[in-house]
Amino acid sequence: MGKITAAITGVGGYLPDFVLSNKVLETMVDTNDEWITTRTGIKERRILKEEGKGTSFLAIKAAQDLIDKKGLDPKDIELVIVCTATPDMKAASTAAYTATQIGAVNAFSYDLEAACSSFLFGMSTAAAYIESGRYKKILLIGADKNSSFINYKDRATCIIFGDGAGAVLFEPNEEGLGLQDELLRSNGEGREFLQATYGGSSYPITQEAFDEGKHFVFQDGRTVFKNAVFNMADVAERILKRNNLTNNDISWLVAHQANKRIIDATAQRIHLEDEKVMMNIEKYGNTTSATLPLLLYDYESQLKKGDNLIFAAFGGGFTWGSIYFKWAYNPN
């Protein structure tokens, strides 16, 4: 019996039907399509409009898509992790509700939150469980209803974020495929530059704070951009060097979709040509925890067994990191 590694064996995804285009945003805030596209690369984003439906709705849809595609019995799932910055409720676990709704009645479950790095950190967590030998089927979901805490009068944030969810199944592998190496980092000094201040335990929501819109997300765009460009590119380059990889060894860069300029800077740092860079930011915007699995969802048909993938992400907190990953299956 060979060494157990943790491989992704299935992918699912879900995007809400409502499309919020740049043209529509022009009627809501002082902005225009050219300005948004030039600075972010975003053309449109999806928004979950249905009242009373939150992140769990997105997570359930993505999980069900994976289950249906794989022909998976949800009773065989042993752990469900929902990576999210926008849980349905405080205290009540979004993952627990998601697991129950998809029929994963034998699984334990929990939420994982590291802002836009949530899914990346979740990959590390799921892989560690698999490598331990204790669990064989782990459902890792990245889902966010960002529209729930966006102020659509604030052009600094409303042009960036969208809603969506992606899911992957982690299983043991004895061919050396799956997660190879990781470099994960965080720095709490960065939290003042990207956060939703009111509504947490430090600053519980008050009527005055609500009226002033202090529960909405705030971003110091310039500072976040500068740190994201440097740190995402830095860890991607370091993980290549640590594993003696060159740009010729890499099949795909799977980078967090926050801003096309950040993605381009990361690709340039590791000398990777454009055709090896997964990109869907123009269609979905920044879906926070969902960006990485949605890239896999969109590009699944192009992935081949043995492909070398470099994942990279940066998020509020600050949190960031990179993972070197070998793809485990060929497209159907």
Side-chain angles (χ1 to χ4, degrees):
M1 187 174 180
K3 178 187 174 183
I4 295 174
T5 53
I8 290 173
T9 59
V11 179
Y14 178 75
L15 283 308
D17 293 330
F18 183 83
V19 176
L20 179 59
S21 67
N22 290 349
K23 290 294 184 184
V24 174
L25 279 175
E26 287 179 4
T27 68
M28 299 167 61
V29 291
D30 181 18
T31 190
N32 61 72
D33 174 66
E34 182 184 7
W35 192 92
I36 297 171
T37 304
T38 302
R39 284 160 179 77
T40 69
I42 301 169
K43 284 288 188 183
E44 56 189 41
R45 62 291 290 147
R46 302 295 186 91
I47 305 296
L48 181 60
K49 285 284 196 177
E50 290 88 340
E51 187 176 348
K53 291 182 178 178
T55 292
S56 65
F57 176 81
L58 301 167
I60 291 163
K61 287 285 192 179
Q64 195 61 59
D65 180 57
L66 185 154
I67 288 167
D68 292 345
K69 283 164 63 178
K70 285 280 294 180
L72 179 66
D73 184 347
K75 294 185 180 66
D76 292 335
I77 299 170
E78 297 163 287
L79 167 60
V80 177
I81 303 173
V82 173
C83 306
T84 184
T86 56
D88 284 4
M89 305 171 181
K90 297 186 187 307
S93 168
T94 300
Y97 181 72
T98 299
T100 297
Q101 291 302 110
I102 63 173
V105 294
N106 295 317
F108 75 104
S109 53
Y110 58 85
D111 297 353
L112 189 156
E113 200 278 302
C116 293
S117 303
S118 296
F119 190 83
L120 189 81
F121 288 13
M123 290 176 67
S124 171
T125 304
Y129 278 116
I130 293 290
E131 290 165 2
S132 75
R134 291 187 180 183
Y135 304 101
K136 292 182 171 60
K137 291 187 189 297
I138 297 176
L139 184 62
L140 179 68
I141 304 169
D144 270 303
K145 185 184 176 182
N146 290 309
S147 61
S148 65
F149 69 174
I150 295 297
N151 179 0
Y152 285 93
K153 296 179 181 178
D154 173 20
R155 71 172 185 174
T157 55
C158 74
I159 65 169
I160 298 169
F161 294 96
D163 302 337
V168 302
L169 183 67
F170 269 89
E171 293 186 281
N173 183 277
E174 294 182 19
E175 299 177 271
L177 303 171
L179 197 148
Q180 305 296 306
D181 195 12
E182 62 183 42
L183 187 57
L184 309 178
R185 294 288 183 266
S186 60
N187 180 355
E189 293 178 357
R191 79 171 182 172
E192 66 180 282
F193 303 110
L194 176 55
Q195 32 82 1
T197 306
Y198 279 80
S201 58
S202 294
Y203 298 94
I205 195 68
T206 63
Q207 186 62 53
E208 181 182 6
F210 181 82
D211 291 342
E212 293 177 8
K214 291 183 177 179
H215 58 297
F216 291 127
V217 72
F218 161 79
Q219 176 173 269
D220 179 337
R222 185 171 296 179
T223 302
V224 172
F225 179 84
K226 182 175 69 174
N227 279 272
V229 166
F230 175 79
N231 287 309
M232 255 178 67
D234 178 63
V235 288
E237 182 182 43
R238 287 169 64 188
I239 208 158
L240 258 68
K241 287 182 177 177
R242 196 159 81 177
N243 290 277
N244 298 313
L245 298 168
T246 70
N247 59 324
N248 294 324
D249 299 314
I250 304 307
S251 306
W252 295 98
L253 173 64
V254 191
H256 173 55
Q257 305 286 290
N259 186 302
K260 187 177 183 298
R261 291 185 293 165
I262 299 172
I263 302 164
D264 289 344
T266 303
Q268 289 163 13
R269 182 77 166 266
I270 59 176
H271 309 291
L272 209 62
E273 50 266 49
D274 290 347
E275 54 266 29
K276 288 185 175 183
V277 180
M278 291 188 184
M279 195 90 69
N280 60 16
I281 189 171
E282 74 281 358
K283 298 187 294 182
Y284 311 142
N286 182 352
T287 54
T288 307
S289 308
T291 63
L292 298 183
L294 281 174
L295 285 170
L296 297 179
Y297 176 68
D298 280 355
Y299 283 82
E300 185 184 17
S301 64
Q302 299 181 54
L303 292 168
K304 299 179 182 64
K305 186 175 180 178
D307 277 356
N308 287 325
L309 277 56
I310 298 296
F311 289 82
F314 180 89
F318 290 137
T319 59
W320 70 96
S322 183
I323 285 177
Y324 167 35
F325 202 92
K326 280 186 175 292
W327 197 248
Y329 63 94
N330 289 313
N332 293 329

